[in-house]
Amino acid sequence: MNEKKLSRLLPIVFFICVYIIPLAWRPMITPDEFRYGEIPRTMLHTGEFISPHLLNVRYFEKPVFGYYMTAATMAVFGENAFAVRLPSALSVGLTALLIFWLVKKIFDDEPLASLATMLYMTCGMVFGIGTFAVLDSQTTLFVTGTIIPFYLALQATSKKSWVALLALAGVSCGLAFLTKGFLAFAVPALTIVPYLIWSKKFKSFLTTPWIPLVCILIVVLPWAIAIHIKEPKFWHYFFWIEHIQRFTTESEGQHAEPFWFLIPPMLGGIFPGALVALGAFITLKMKFKTMLKDDFCRFLICYLVLPFIFFSASTGKLATYILPCFPPAAILLAIGLKKYIEDNRQHKTLDWTLIILPWVLIAGAAGFTIVQILMYFDLIPTLFTKNEWYKWVIAGVAVIFWCWMILKNRNADVKKKIIAFFAGMIPVLMAGQMAFPEHVLHGKIQEAPLQRLTAYIPENSQILVQHNVMHAVSWVTQRDDLDFFLTAGELNHSIQEDYPDEYGERLYGLGQFRKWVKSPERTRPLVVICRIRKEKFDKDYNHYFKDVEEYIKAQYYDEEIYMVVF
């Protein structure tokens, strides 16, 4: 198979093997994956597709399209981890396809387009989020689907292409809004407006916005009006609390972080794929002034830098927010790597990287194996349990295979070296999705212990849940009539401020809980499910249950999940 066919086939094989096949290999993690599974499942069960609900409580943190995507995959593949994660993974693949389209269109260079897609899909941040059930990959897809067609419309040579590309940008922007909210407007605006000013394309301000704007309104308005009619409080909460307060205040739950917080995730997030492109950094630095004169590079710089500054300026920050910055980063790395290869016949940086990397990995794998053997014989504290030996063995074999692929092609031409680097990474990233110690996420993997505990829940029980287990309990029991023990976490605003008359009785403070346990009016079994760490068990037990100990009929403890039956 020639190199052109390999470069075309590799991204497809990589995506299927790394992003699709392993999706069901690891258990769901609380709270995010259960939340983004439970809301769409409720939509499917109730037929309520206008107002999102979590545990039968209005949930106004996001619009609906991200939930629609998951509901669609669940309708096809069932209510399981694979279906819940599939929209994130498919979004990565479609974003990679948009990157391929853009680079192929601008440079008419298919290998370069494939390289950009591979660099994108091997970014650690993209991989980590794209195989996890959150809405950031979907948002990135639609934001990318707004910015790239808009830029291509500016380069279009026919009226028909110009209209179609602007319409595509508008539809995608509307879907981005219906997935994440006003971020859908901020990132494209921060990219396109400075780029147009920098490139002195002032006429485009008058000609290009109208088609996208009409398409945005067509996509967004039906649901926007429907949710306003059905839930008049939605827009106040969604705009002021979820957007304005998140950007400007340090209120509880807004993840306040310093300005520099997102720099390490951005720099670290481009690896391990960027290991093959270290020479690109040298070239990009040397040719930075020349790049500033190139129209496409100006666009990419605006696309990468200005949204990143915007996210950094926000008071509330999570590393996942900067995911839309990775498509331009991957394209810039691909361009830099190509120029580095063209300008440096000896490719010393690339060659030395591909010489040193496998030996570092081999040494690391050998050292890790020795440590695991010592742990197996209880000579040092354990990382993997004895029953998990197969996990680190599989991971070790995958790493050795990657090293073998790199070393086997060390004397090949530079294109084959790069292909071998990415192809060898496939089993490593596949193994990485199942080869992690259980205790690393102990208490976060709640489905299995809850499935065991639900066998002991009496029929017709009233269930009280702590906020740190409520998503998983609802998913496992398939009940949305749960009540809340002490606090409802992210649902507190709906319960206590927006709809206290409707939901207030479902929240039990400690005093109310003790009174209800002792009340002669209680006719149903009462079950309390909470997460208590072993080291805090006695303290928390005494605080919560000591005063009602005589009413306890049964109690169970399984992997930090504590269940009490009254």
Side-chain angles (χ1 to χ4, degrees), residues 192-197 201-210:
I192 292 166
V193 171
Y195 162 72
L196 292 176
I197 295 172
K201 298 180 179 180
F202 301 110
K203 184 180 177 181
S204 296
F205 282 108
L206 301 176
T207 58
T208 56
W210 310 112

Side-chain angles (χ1 to χ4, degrees), residues 59-357:
Y59 187 76
F60 292 164
E61 291 197 9
K62 304 286 188 300
V64 292
F65 195 73
Y67 307 136
Y68 289 175
M69 295 174 73
T70 307
T73 57
M74 291 172 70
V76 174
F77 297 103
E79 298 171 359
N80 52 59
F82 178 85
V84 172
R85 293 172 178 145
L86 185 58
S88 290
L90 291 176
S91 296
V92 173
L94 291 171
T95 304
L97 190 62
L98 287 168
I99 292 170
F100 183 92
W101 177 39
L102 174 65
V103 177
K104 178 75 163 53
K105 195 80 173 175
I106 298 300
F107 294 100
D108 193 24
D109 187 338
E110 193 169 300
L112 178 62
S114 294
L115 176 61
T117 63
M118 288 305 302
L119 285 168
Y120 177 73
M121 288 192 292
T122 54
C123 287
M125 183 72 76
V126 174
F127 169 72
I129 300 172
T131 55
F132 190 73
V134 286
L135 300 180
D136 299 276
S137 293
Q138 295 91 310
T139 303
T140 298
L141 165 63
F142 296 127
V143 168
T144 307
T146 302
I147 295 172
I148 286 178
F150 195 99
Y151 177 79
L152 291 176
L154 297 173
Q155 321 303 317
T157 56
S158 70
K159 185 73 172 179
K160 185 178 179 180
S161 296
W162 183 78
V163 172
L165 288 165
L166 289 177
L168 177 58
V171 170
S172 190
C173 189
L175 294 177
F177 178 82
L178 291 179
T179 302
K180 195 80 168 184
F182 293 95
L183 179 69
F185 305 142
V187 175
L190 287 165
T191 300
I192 292 166
V193 171
Y195 162 72
L196 292 176
I197 295 172
W198 194 0
S199 302
K200 298 180 181 179
K201 298 180 179 180
F202 301 110
K203 184 180 177 181
S204 296
F205 282 108
L206 301 176
T207 58
T208 56
W210 310 112
I211 293 174
L213 181 59
V214 170
C215 292
I216 290 169
L217 292 175
I218 291 171
V219 171
V220 171
L221 273 182
W223 178 79
I225 294 171
I227 190 68
H228 176 69
I229 294 171
K230 189 174 184 64
E231 307 288 359
K233 296 181 180 180
F234 175 86
W235 287 112
H236 175 267
Y237 177 87
F238 186 64
F239 180 74
W240 286 107
I241 296 175
E242 278 300 304
H243 286 79
I244 302 302
Q245 286 187 18
R246 186 177 294 275
F247 189 85
T248 60
T249 69
E250 297 184 10
S251 57
E252 184 180 357
Q254 300 304 325
H255 312 290
E257 300 290 351
F259 183 84
W260 55 264
F261 175 77
L262 295 175
I263 295 175
M266 186 73 231
L267 295 178
I270 60 176
F271 292 94
L275 285 169
V276 80
L278 294 179
F281 293 99
I282 299 171
T283 301
L284 292 173
K285 180 180 178 182
M286 292 176 59
K287 299 198 172 186
F288 183 70
K289 290 184 179 180
T290 305
M291 290 173 59
L292 294 179
K293 299 176 183 178
D294 179 80
D295 182 79
F296 186 56
C297 288
R298 287 178 178 177
F299 163 71
L300 292 175
I301 290 169
C302 291
Y303 190 177
L304 170 62
V305 175
L306 295 173
F308 181 81
I309 292 174
F310 170 77
F311 291 124
S312 296
S314 170
T315 300
K317 299 179 186 70
L318 287 174
T320 56
Y321 293 175
I322 58 172
L323 195 61
C325 299
F326 282 85
I331 297 171
L332 282 169
L333 283 175
I335 294 170
L337 181 56
K338 183 188 177 185
K339 291 183 180 296
Y340 167 78
I341 292 171
E342 291 173 346
D343 297 347
N344 299 272
R345 292 184 178 180
Q346 293 183 332
H347 318 127
K348 288 185 178 180
T349 302
L350 176 60
D351 289 343
W352 276 107
T353 299
L354 297 181
I355 289 171
I356 294 172
L357 176 63

Side-chain angles (χ1 to χ4, degrees), residues 344-381:
N344 299 272
R345 292 184 178 180
Q346 293 183 332
H347 318 127
K348 288 185 178 180
T349 302
L350 176 60
D351 289 343
W352 276 107
T353 299
L354 297 181
I355 289 171
I356 294 172
L357 176 63
W359 293 110
V360 170
L361 292 173
I362 290 170
F368 187 79
T369 300
I370 292 171
V371 169
Q372 286 305 127
I373 292 172
L374 294 174
M375 289 178 175
Y376 189 83
F377 290 102
D378 300 322
L379 297 175
I380 58 177

